[in-house]
Amino acid sequence: MAWPTPQEYNEAIQNPQLNVADAELKNGEPELTPIGLPRPISGGFASVYKLKCGPRNWAVRCFLREVPDQQQRYAAISAHLAGARLPYTVGFAYQPEGIRSRGQWYPIVKMEWVEGEPLIEHIEGNLHRPQALLHLADKWVLMLDALRRHQIAHGDLQHGNVLVTGGELKLIDYDGMYVPGLRGRQSAEVGHRNYQHPRRTERDFGPQLDQFAGWLIHLSLIALAKDPTLWRRLGAGDESLLFRREDFQNPARSAAFQALLRSADPQVQREATLVQSLLALDLPNIPPLTAQSLRTAPAPAAPAPPPKTHGRMAPARPAPVAPPHPQPSPAEEWWRGYTHAAPPRPARATAAGLLLPPAPETPTAFQLDWLLDHLGPTVPVRFQPPVWAVRGLLLLLLVLVGTVASLAGQWLPWAGAAALLLATGLLVSRYQGLAEVEQRRALKAELFWSQTEQERLVGAIARLDRQIEEIRVSEQSELHVLQERHAQQRRAERERLGAIDQELRATLDQLAARQKELDQAEQQEAEQALRSAQQTYLRERLTGHALPNPGVLPGLTPARRQRLIAAGICTAADMEGVEITPGGWFGWRQSAVLVGPGGRRVQVKGIGPRLAEDLLAWCRRLELKYRPSMPWALAPDLQRGIEAHSTRRRWLLESQQRAAAERAERQRERVRQESAREQRAIRTRIDSLRSRTAASVQALQSERGDREREEARKRWEISQVQRRLEAYQAVTFPAFLGRLIGLR
């Protein structure tokens, strides 16, 4: 089936009252061009029209080609987006029978109209405001992170599908979107050629679809923020940003890659190198754009080791103190404001070009990665255990062993072994009693229980994800059943309406045949009446002409004339034909039979074939004389009489036709009402199912958000314990022994 062209959609959208099924859109007014025609936004997949419906504006997407599972795709996308409630998407409704063109109904998507700047126009208008472009790049990373956490891929990230409204990003056109409910299907499209990986095909359909385009657009934003002249030099704005399909197919000769690889900005160079390397990977192997992949801060310098004593007497050990902390980093200040509900700090730019946002209600994985990446350096603990007391105890032990050995020389080996065991036990006991060792042991125990709690939280989050997925799978299964019932009901309605129409056509055909028979009978009656009138006229005229006198016709004698009159042939009207019959031996003798009105036959003595034919010719000449003047149309009163005879029968037929049409319309209306009730019941069940699913998913996602918050806190606590443990790396038993014997 060929789908309507943009021109046909233009003609249909001019009269939404007649051609649009949605009650709200029926009263809408399409946006017009200066010449008064609807203004379409046409692409390779659909034509989009803006309809103003009172205070609200709607976008109506009219499809230019068919996707077999289009309704199921939009149902899955709508359900998932309703549960995710992301600020980057807009609401929409798929209508299977939305617009009528060429007498048939076709689907549309009714989507909220977003007033905003397309991405290209926004970038071009801010080329000389680098901070605005860097801020947009940060929002871009946050948006991709939110989509990835909800397992959503737009599928066609490009300048035409990204709007900037009020400084925020909005995504439109969800024809190629992936959500978990579409797992296992193929992609309906492969995206814009100037933004997609050259190896992408319809088989690539999963949460990784946006990773290459995400890197590409982010690189373009930061490159233009660092060097606005790239816009003019690389011809940006013509269905692309800085890159085109040809740059992906031959990166070695790409002017865009060469310009960015030679950039004076290290971040642009690094990211351009990375994006160029992605061209050699398959789509599933392309890493996502995250804060961790954008790290640019240098590694902290290693702390200076504590001074060695080289066996010299060390000063007295001070009381153990907690490891000193450097000045809190911006990340630590942000986290402290988040965990202690402190007033939010204003956003500040980082070295990576990212903006540190104020504390949100729930930290995202991106923000936590940023925090862990921007913590300050760890200062190690100075390990200076009190060795003089231990040395004194060891010396006293040696003196005691020597005394015992001198008194009983045969027990010397046993005394040495006992001394060694006592010394080892003394050293281990003294080492375990050190404050630094106790602090490290307490930190390890705290780390163990924190990691155990984190694993429990991760398991709870995974369990909630499985529950959410199970709910959505169950919803999709029930939706599929309900949609199949809806489709079956629609087919049954069409079949019943078709049967009614077929029965009506059969009845009307029968009545039309009877009408045709009536018309033919009326015409035949009129023709018969006209022939009768013509014959009466001719007979009246021919009756006035008596037989010709003797001698006028050869062979017509007075006697023969008298015999004709005696036989009833007195005038030209009494003779209508002649029949010649053979007679005598071998048929050589012929006789003539005169045919009169009504088929009367008479044979007159002396009238042979020759004279009979002359008499008939005389009658025909008279008939030709009067034929032009005979009537060629019925008299009005006679015509009205014939019409009056068939008027009643014609009126009965027309009444039967009207009755059949009215009866069929009542049957159709009854079928439509029954179908509408069933469809409303199915739609009510679908809406109820979606509401229940959305409520369940929302409750689970709320619980999941709480668990994510707890897990983020726990990750932060683990990172802090690990950082504190790093300060105790020098607190070891070998270090204690080395300090004891003066090697450290």
Side-chain angles (χ1 to χ4, degrees):
M1 177 179 66
W3 281 52
T5 63
Q7 178 60 33
E8 290 171 331
Y9 278 130
N10 267 5
E11 297 172 357
I13 206 71
Q14 289 185 61
N15 296 302
Q17 296 83 1
L18 300 177
N19 300 320
V20 178
D22 186 82
E24 185 176 12
L25 297 180
K26 273 181 177 293
N27 300 319
E29 297 180 359
E31 185 180 43
L32 303 178
T33 63
I35 61 175
L37 296 177
R39 184 191 304 276
I41 304 174
S42 297
F45 195 81
S47 288
V48 183
Y49 298 90
K50 177 182 179 182
L51 263 68
K52 182 175 180 59
C53 304
R56 301 190 65 180
N57 294 330
W58 294 97
V60 178
R61 292 180 55 80
C62 303
F63 300 98
L64 300 176
R65 62 183 176 90
E66 182 179 12
V67 177
D69 56 351
Q70 189 175 69
Q71 184 170 356
Q72 291 81 3
R73 286 176 180 267
Y74 270 102
I77 294 170
S78 176
H80 193 77
L81 294 185
R85 301 176 66 86
L86 295 176
Y88 310 105
T89 59
V90 296
F92 68 91
Y94 179 86
Q95 300 180 1
E97 294 185 351
I99 189 169
R100 179 168 53 190
S101 177
R102 303 181 303 187
Q104 296 185 10
W105 289 96
Y106 295 90
I108 64 170
V109 170
K110 176 186 176 184
M111 179 177 288
E112 297 178 19
W113 183 269
V114 180
E115 295 291 349
E117 283 185 299
L119 182 62
I120 279 186
E121 296 181 9
H122 183 79
I123 293 175
E124 188 173 12
N126 290 276
L127 285 177
H128 299 290
R129 298 177 59 204
Q131 289 303 320
L133 296 181
L134 292 176
H135 184 64
L136 188 64
D138 293 342
K139 288 184 176 293
W140 183 258
V141 176
L142 293 174
M143 182 189 72
L144 293 181
D145 177 71
L147 294 176
R148 185 168 53 254
R149 283 189 291 110
H150 288 85
Q151 302 183 55
I152 300 173
H154 182 274
D156 190 16
L157 290 180
Q158 44 111 336
H159 60 273
N161 294 335
V162 181
L163 301 180
V164 183
T165 172
E168 301 298 329
L169 295 169
K170 288 285 186 180
L171 299 177
I172 59 174
D173 186 359
Y174 305 151
D175 297 330
M177 179 171 283
Y178 170 84
V179 295
L182 299 178
R183 185 181 293 112
R185 300 176 186 253
Q186 287 196 352
S187 178
E189 57 181 27
V190 294
H192 198 292
R193 65 189 305 273
N194 292 334
Y195 292 84
Q196 297 300 318
H197 196 281
R199 296 188 185 180
R200 178 181 173 182
T201 65
E202 288 82 359
R203 294 187 298 274
D204 297 307
F205 194 52
Q208 77 282 356
L209 280 183
D210 293 340
Q211 292 173 4
F212 181 77
W215 277 108
L216 196 71
I217 294 176
H218 185 269
L219 172 59
S220 301
L221 288 172
I222 63 170
L224 290 169
K226 304 296 182 180
D227 185 4
T229 63
L230 291 171
W231 185 270
R232 179 184 52 80
R233 287 161 48 197
L234 298 179
D238 181 17
E239 286 300 308
S240 66
L241 291 179
L242 298 183
F243 295 92
R244 294 173 177 80
R245 180 84 172 181
E246 294 74 15
D247 298 314
F248 310 147
Q249 294 172 339
N250 194 350
R253 297 185 178 181
S254 167
F257 275 117
Q258 296 303 319
L260 269 58
L261 292 173
R262 292 195 298 267
S263 173
D265 186 80
Q267 182 184 3
V268 175
Q269 289 184 2
R270 283 193 297 272
E271 198 162 328
T273 303
L274 173 62
V275 172
Q276 189 178 36
S277 67
L278 299 181
L279 296 173
L281 302 178
D282 294 330
L283 260 69
N285 299 327
I286 295 178
L289 176 62
T290 63
Q292 195 171 18
S293 59
L294 295 174
R295 291 177 178 172
T296 56
K308 296 183 179 181
T309 59
H310 299 287
R312 292 176 295 174
M313 182 180 296
R317 177 180 180 272
V321 295
H325 291 284
Q327 185 70 20
S329 67
E332 291 169 321
E333 291 181 3
W334 185 88
W335 180 262
R336 187 178 298 117
Y338 164 70
T339 55
H340 298 286
R345 305 289 184 93
R348 288 181 289 174
T350 66
L354 294 174
L355 290 179
L356 182 64
E361 295 182 1
T362 302
T364 65
F366 165 77
Q367 294 162 345
L368 189 57
D369 289 338
W370 190 94
L371 294 170
L372 297 179
D373 188 47
H374 290 78
L375 294 175
T378 301
V379 179
V381 172
R382 296 185 62 187
F383 186 40
Q384 295 180 350
V387 298
W388 287 106
V390 179
R391 289 174 181 174
L393 290 175
L394 290 176
L395 181 60
L396 179 61
L397 180 61
L398 291 176
V399 171
L400 179 60
V401 171
T403 302
V404 173
S406 63
L407 294 177
Q410 67 274 18
W411 299 98
L412 181 59
W414 296 102
L420 181 60
L421 290 175
L422 288 174
T424 303
L426 176 64
L427 291 175
V428 172
S429 175
R430 190 69 186 90
Y431 172 75
Q432 294 295 335
L434 294 176
E436 293 89 343
V437 177
E438 292 178 352
Q439 292 171 358
R440 188 183 66 173
R441 187 163 52 248
L443 288 174
K444 285 185 176 180
E446 183 181 354
L447 178 62
F448 171 77
W449 292 113
S450 295
Q451 290 176 337
T452 302
E453 180 66 15
Q454 185 200 17
E455 292 176 359
R456 184 189 68 80
L457 292 172
V458 171
I461 292 173
R463 185 168 58 256
L464 290 172
D465 287 338
R466 287 194 298 272
Q467 292 177 5
I468 292 173
E469 183 65 21
E470 290 172 359
I471 289 175
R472 287 174 173 161
V473 170
S474 175
E475 179 199 24
Q476 290 303 315
S477 177
E478 294 184 39
L479 277 177
H480 179 72
V481 173
L482 291 174
Q483 288 166 354
E484 283 295 326
R485 287 185 55 188
H486 184 271
Q488 291 174 0
Q489 194 278 330
R490 294 289 294 173
R491 287 194 294 270
E493 178 189 5
R494 287 194 292 268
E495 291 173 359
R496 293 175 64 185
L497 292 176
I500 293 172
D501 292 340
Q502 185 175 2
E503 182 181 357
L504 175 62
R505 283 194 297 271
T507 303
L508 293 179
D509 289 343
Q510 293 177 358
L511 295 175
R514 292 173 59 184
Q515 177 73 35
K516 185 175 181 181
E517 293 175 358
L518 178 61
D519 294 340
Q520 291 176 351
E522 181 181 354
Q523 182 178 2
Q524 290 174 0
E525 185 178 358
E527 292 175 353
Q528 182 64 30
L530 180 61
R531 283 196 297 270
S532 177
Q534 291 174 343
Q535 290 173 359
T536 301
Y537 176 83
L538 288 176
R539 186 172 182 80
E540 290 175 353
R541 298 297 181 274
L542 294 178
T543 301
H545 292 274
L547 289 175
N549 294 322
V552 175
L553 295 177
L556 182 61
T557 63
R560 292 175 179 173
R561 186 173 184 274
Q562 288 299 324
R563 286 195 291 271
L564 286 172
I565 294 173
I569 301 176
C570 303
T571 65
D574 298 330
M575 186 173 176
E576 293 183 355
V578 175
E579 293 181 358
I580 308 299
T581 58
W585 295 96
F586 304 105
W588 61 270
R589 188 175 180 180
Q590 295 179 335
S591 61
V593 177
L594 304 180
V595 181
R600 184 176 67 88
R601 289 172 171 77
V602 62
Q603 188 171 9
V604 180
K605 184 179 178 180
I607 304 300
R610 176 81 174 263
L611 181 57
E613 290 178 353
D614 290 343
L615 286 172
L616 182 62
W618 171 72
C619 293
R620 292 289 182 266
R621 288 194 297 271
L622 292 176
E623 182 179 343
L624 290 175
K625 174 182 177 183
Y626 292 109
R627 183 172 291 276
S629 61
M630 69 179 181
W632 292 96
L634 285 177
D637 54 346
L638 187 58
Q639 181 70 33
R640 285 194 295 271
I642 295 174
E643 292 177 353
H645 183 259
S646 60
T647 296
R648 178 170 177 78
R649 289 184 294 173
R650 185 177 288 108
W651 179 83
L652 289 174
L653 289 176
E654 292 176 353
S655 299
Q656 292 176 358
Q657 290 175 344
R658 288 194 299 271
E662 292 172 358
R663 183 171 60 254
E665 183 59 31
R666 287 194 298 271
Q667 293 175 347
R668 281 195 293 264
E669 185 62 25
R670 185 166 57 253
V671 169
R672 292 193 189 100
Q673 290 176 356
E674 294 174 358
S675 176
R677 284 196 298 270
E678 295 178 4
Q679 290 177 19
R680 282 196 298 270
I682 294 174
R683 284 196 295 269
T684 300
R685 292 187 60 184
I686 291 175
D687 294 340
S688 176
L689 173 63
R690 286 176 173 169
S691 299
R692 291 198 311 271
T693 302
S696 301
V697 169
Q698 184 176 5
L700 291 174
Q701 286 182 338
S702 176
E703 184 179 355
R704 187 184 188 280
D706 295 339
R707 297 295 175 269
E708 281 187 337
R709 184 183 181 89
E710 294 176 13
E711 195 271 340
R713 289 179 183 274
K714 195 58 64 177
R715 284 177 60 191
W716 177 261
E717 293 173 4
I718 290 172
S719 68
Q720 295 304 298
V721 173
Q722 289 174 338
R723 283 166 50 81
R724 289 165 63 188
L725 274 175
E726 291 176 0
Y728 288 88
Q729 290 181 353
V731 181
T732 61
F733 189 70
F736 172 71
L737 293 178
R739 180 73 175 172
L740 184 64
I741 62 178
L743 297 179
R744 293 177 179 270

